[in-house]
Amino acid sequence: MHDLTDEHKLPAHMIYSDSVYSRSETGLGHELWGNIPNTLGEAAKLLPKIRADYTESEYLEPLKQAMKRNLRRMGLLTGKTSESLDRLHDGVVEAGQQPMLMGGPGIILNKISYAVSLAGEAGVVPVYYVADYDGVQAELTNMRLPSPSSKGLLLSYPVEPSMENLAIYEVGNPAETWFRKNMEKIDSNYRGLLKELDIFKREKAQQNLDHAYSVIKSAYYSTSNVSDFSTKVVGSLLNIESDLGVPIYWFSMPETRPYFIEGYELLLKEPNRSRFIEATNAAAEKVEFAGYRSQIGFRTDDYVPFFLECMNPECNRIRVELKYSKREGINEAVLKGKCPVCEEEYSFSFEASKPDVSDIVDWITPRVDSRQVIVDSVIPVLAHIGGPGETSYYAEVIPAAKALGLPFPLFMRYTRTFYNTPWNEKMAQGLKKQGLPVIT
């Protein structure tokens, strides 16, 4: 055990990385994440057994049809995508991300391509999940682009501090004046980066940029909120430009919330809720005892596996934290919460051993630790592709799913690919002249 303060502890995902590098088949990494395959081929061989653990959900077929309708509305339903949707029952390799500014950085495509590769290897379907239930936060509303300045070019959606905890899908697209001004800033910035290249490379890079601008403009002018804007950018690149046929599901997709009711009720009912708390806390304790930093930390006894959205129209569905209470010896439990904006108080009672959330299912959203179980209640997800942050919190979620005896996807941390750029190439030439090693 390492004796370090929290700020000096390594994140939990380093345990996963150490297991991969050492090719160890035992140890803490395998206790937390289960099977940790070293290659896509190894992973693909494990997926049929996971599929056999799932039962068919009655909501899967209605979900397929709803996804087709909504992807068609977004202009993202190609023939190949429709065929992939028809095969969701075969099993899914999932990659997910919150909607980020103008679609976000290229590593999102890196993550999805990993899912596409594994799905192809295993003969199943890749799916991109857009977690647009997440609240407004800096990482979703800001982005830096490389620029001649050491600080980069900062782009920011015009959001107010009062919008914290507001679901990102409730944030409307910024005004056209903001959009045009920022597109001009982006173009001017890249022209500055490219100006010292030889004319052939500069013209080629500018052509690529102009094409990217057209995709972004088309997405902006055909959507009304920042979630759809981001999804349209990414979906256009996946299914229109590249014809990969990747089904996309976003949490706020109309019609679909009630389909996941069984996942919410499964995690809320006793003794599942208490076992989930115990198992996630035990996993977090193992991580901390080993000298690493747990991602989510310890859950209290009043934990609820979802958030409520305020029902007051003026609050725009801002998230409400709920607390669970139950008197010993009585099968009635109560959820209570208070809106941070309008201060309206909510209270819901139900049978602890058989909860019914049908009255509020259109007003609840997953938590980061419950989302996968809720999705799995309808979609047979066989593998989830994640980055460092996801790797860390899955270390707490996977042991909880095992404790409940639930089917759960194989977790794979994707390998990030860093693409060469004309300005990196120019910098590399300068380093070479100084006798320094480069990888470009």
Side-chain angles (χ1 to χ4, degrees):
M1 174 181 174
H2 307 295
D3 186 17
L4 297 170
T5 57
D6 282 347
E7 61 267 24
H8 293 106
K9 288 180 178 178
L10 293 172
H13 66 77
M14 296 301 296
I15 304 170
Y16 184 98
S17 298
D18 290 345
S19 294
V20 172
Y21 297 145
S22 66
R23 291 184 173 262
S24 168
E25 296 183 1
T26 59
L28 182 57
H30 289 270
E31 288 181 39
L32 298 172
W33 289 277
N35 286 312
I36 302 180
N38 293 295
T39 66
L40 290 178
E42 287 181 19
K45 292 177 182 177
L46 296 170
L47 301 194
K49 183 179 182 303
I50 298 173
R51 179 63 186 93
D53 293 336
Y54 279 93
T55 57
E56 195 85 8
S57 167
E58 64 179 293
Y59 297 110
L60 183 57
E61 285 301 322
L63 178 64
K64 292 178 186 179
Q65 298 310 312
M67 289 176 70
K68 286 184 179 182
R69 287 192 295 273
N70 282 282
L71 286 168
R72 185 179 294 113
R73 175 180 60 82
M74 287 277 278
L76 300 175
L77 185 70
T78 64
K80 197 170 180 180
T81 308
S82 183
E83 290 171 5
S84 294
L85 279 164
D86 289 336
R87 294 179 49 237
L88 282 188
H89 56 273
D90 290 342
V92 161
V93 176
E94 175 194 65
Q97 184 69 45
Q98 307 103 313
M100 304 183 79
L101 191 144
M102 292 189 180
I107 56 173
I108 294 174
L109 299 177
N110 191 174
K111 183 192 295 188
I112 298 169
S113 66
Y114 204 95
V116 170
S117 296
L118 177 54
E121 185 90 13
V124 294
V125 179
V127 166
Y128 180 51
Y129 183 98
V130 182
D132 64 353
Y133 56 82
D134 212 350
V136 171
Q137 53 192 286
E139 67 176 286
L140 307 186
T141 59
N142 297 279
M143 182 169 63
R144 287 188 187 273
L145 298 179
S147 78
S149 164
S150 59
K151 296 181 179 178
L153 174 65
L154 176 64
L155 304 175
S156 302
Y157 283 143
V159 296
E160 301 295 329
S162 61
M163 299 172 76
E164 184 181 358
N165 285 326
L166 180 68
I168 193 71
Y169 73 82
E170 282 287 333
V171 179
N173 277 346
E176 185 178 10
T177 51
W178 177 94
F179 180 70
R180 286 182 173 274
K181 179 181 178 181
N182 278 270
M183 291 300 293
E184 290 170 3
K185 284 169 62 176
I186 293 170
D187 186 53
S188 176
N189 173 72
Y190 279 119
R191 288 183 184 276
L193 284 171
L194 300 175
K195 67 181 181 181
E196 294 186 25
L197 298 180
D198 67 68
I199 189 168
F200 175 78
K201 289 184 177 179
R202 185 167 67 247
E203 288 180 350
K204 183 65 176 175
Q206 190 62 52
Q207 287 174 3
N208 292 337
L209 285 168
D210 289 340
H211 187 62
Y213 299 156
S214 69
V215 171
I216 295 171
K217 289 176 181 176
S218 175
Y220 173 81
Y221 286 109
S222 60
T223 58
S224 59
N225 64 69
V226 298
S227 175
D228 285 354
F229 178 18
S230 174
T231 302
K232 183 70 179 282
V233 171
V234 175
S236 296
L237 294 174
L238 294 177
N239 294 338
I240 307 303
E241 301 294 325
S242 303
D243 195 27
L244 293 176
V246 177
I248 303 172
Y249 177 75
W250 52 99
F251 169 79
S252 65
M253 183 178 285
E255 311 169 52
T256 61
R257 285 198 187 194
Y259 299 154
F260 296 92
I261 188 171
E262 291 179 354
Y264 291 108
E265 292 175 347
L266 173 72
L267 290 175
L268 184 61
K269 82 178 209 177
E270 291 292 358
N272 289 355
R273 190 193 69 90
S274 294
R275 288 176 181 166
F276 188 88
I277 294 170
E278 291 168 8
T280 52
N281 286 348
E285 189 172 11
K286 283 183 179 180
V287 170
E288 297 282 344
F289 185 78
Y292 294 85
R293 186 176 68 253
S294 60
Q295 182 75 4
I296 304 173
F298 298 93
R299 293 147 191 82
T300 55
D301 290 341
D302 57 5
Y303 166 86
V304 176
F306 49 80
F307 292 102
L308 177 73
E309 294 178 325
C310 182
M311 300 177 185
N312 185 339
E314 295 179 1
C315 290
N316 297 312
R317 289 181 172 261
I318 201 156
R319 289 199 304 195
V320 177
E321 178 85 38
L322 295 172
K323 299 294 183 182
Y324 182 101
S325 63
K326 176 184 174 297
R327 285 189 294 169
E328 192 171 348
I330 297 177
N331 193 32
E332 183 181 74
V334 178
L335 303 183
K336 290 186 177 182
K338 183 177 179 180
C339 175
V341 176
C342 70
E343 299 189 341
E344 181 168 349
E345 296 183 355
Y346 292 93
S347 180
F348 309 97
S349 60
F350 54 91
E351 289 184 55
S353 61
K354 192 178 179 182
D356 178 357
V357 299
S358 56
D359 288 344
I360 59 172
V361 71
D362 283 317
W363 297 92
I364 54 179
T365 71
R367 302 180 78 106
V368 69
D369 55 1
S370 63
R371 184 206 70 87
Q372 189 70 69
V373 173
I374 292 166
V375 171
D376 293 350
S377 70
V378 180
I379 304 173
V381 182
L382 311 183
H384 178 86
I385 310 302
E390 291 167 286
T391 306
S392 291
Y393 68 70
Y394 270 72
E396 300 170 44
V397 177
I398 292 174
K402 286 182 180 177
L404 297 182
L406 301 175
F408 202 83
L410 179 74
F411 181 86
M412 290 197 72
R413 179 175 170 179
Y414 72 100
T415 302
R416 290 185 173 180
T417 301
F418 295 92
Y419 302 96
N420 195 15
T421 59
W423 46 92
N424 281 349
E425 188 175 331
K426 185 173 185 299
M427 184 182 295
Q429 291 171 357
L431 292 173
K432 277 182 182 178
K433 290 178 181 178
Q434 297 177 44
L436 297 172
V438 297
I439 59 172
T440 183

